[in-house]
Amino acid sequence: MTQTRRNLITGGLAVAGASLSGMPLPALAQKYNEQQSFSQNELVGSGHKFFGNVSRGLALTIEEAVRRWGEPNGYVLGQEASGAFVGGLRYGEGQLYTRNAGDRRVFWQGPSIGFDFGGEGARTMMLVYNLPVVDALYQRFAGIDGSAYFIGGFGFTALTAGGIMVVPIRTGVGWRLGVNLGYLKFTPQATWNPF
């Protein structure tokens, strides 16, 4: 099942899963301050390596997010796929980076509803703010999302839960237009259940 899901994301139809490997990492994420957060230059550098040729748009998007919310104390680099016809689904997987808790594989999935049509496959960088412990990421983050992709696109939104904010920055290919209300549920292991 995990391999089938991975094949679907690379095909742009669904997002992959992989088993969580190794021993669990320490669950502590340091309290938010300048020495434990990631600077705008670090985020842009990581994003350039991950996203490739969309560097100008990425730099401007990260600059705007840092201007609005400050420097995050964690970030996720990953891939996702989604589709919608009024109701929609999104699946993704990636790597969470923190200063003191190391790197950890994370998965996300979630439903949406709204005036939203089409499908997309995207590379995603998620800035994570006010993460007290890594395990606090494993919950539902709600928000409103808008998409306007025709062949390709780039954008970001903000999702919140319990004082933690996740800002997904996406660049993708596909065709998608609309606005929806939904949530992303983060899990330590892959699951097909978006609820």
Side-chain angles (χ1 to χ4, degrees), residues 1 10-11 20 26 30 47 65 80 90 102 107 111-113 115 132 154 160 164 171 174 178:
M1 181 167 158
T10 58
L20 189 61
Q30 296 176 342
E80 64 181 24
R90 181 178 304 274
F107 301 86
S112 64
I113 189 163
F115 180 75
F154 198 80
T160 61
I164 302 168
T171 182

Side-chain angles (χ1 to χ4, degrees), residues 3 30 34 51 57 59 63 77 89 103 106 116 119 127 131 151 154 160-161 163 191:
Q3 187 60 37
Q30 296 176 342
E34 286 183 21
F51 286 104
E63 181 181 324
L77 294 176
L89 293 174
D103 306 340
V106 295
D116 193 14
L127 308 181
L131 185 66
I151 308 300
F154 198 80
T160 61
T191 178

Side-chain angles (χ1 to χ4, degrees), residues 119-143:
E120 67 183 285
R123 284 188 170 223
T124 304
M125 173 184 246
M126 296 187 189
L127 308 181
V128 183
Y129 293 89
N130 304 318
L131 185 66
V133 294
V134 171
D135 288 345
L137 187 65
Y138 302 136
Q139 61 178 312
R140 289 174 178 85
F141 290 83

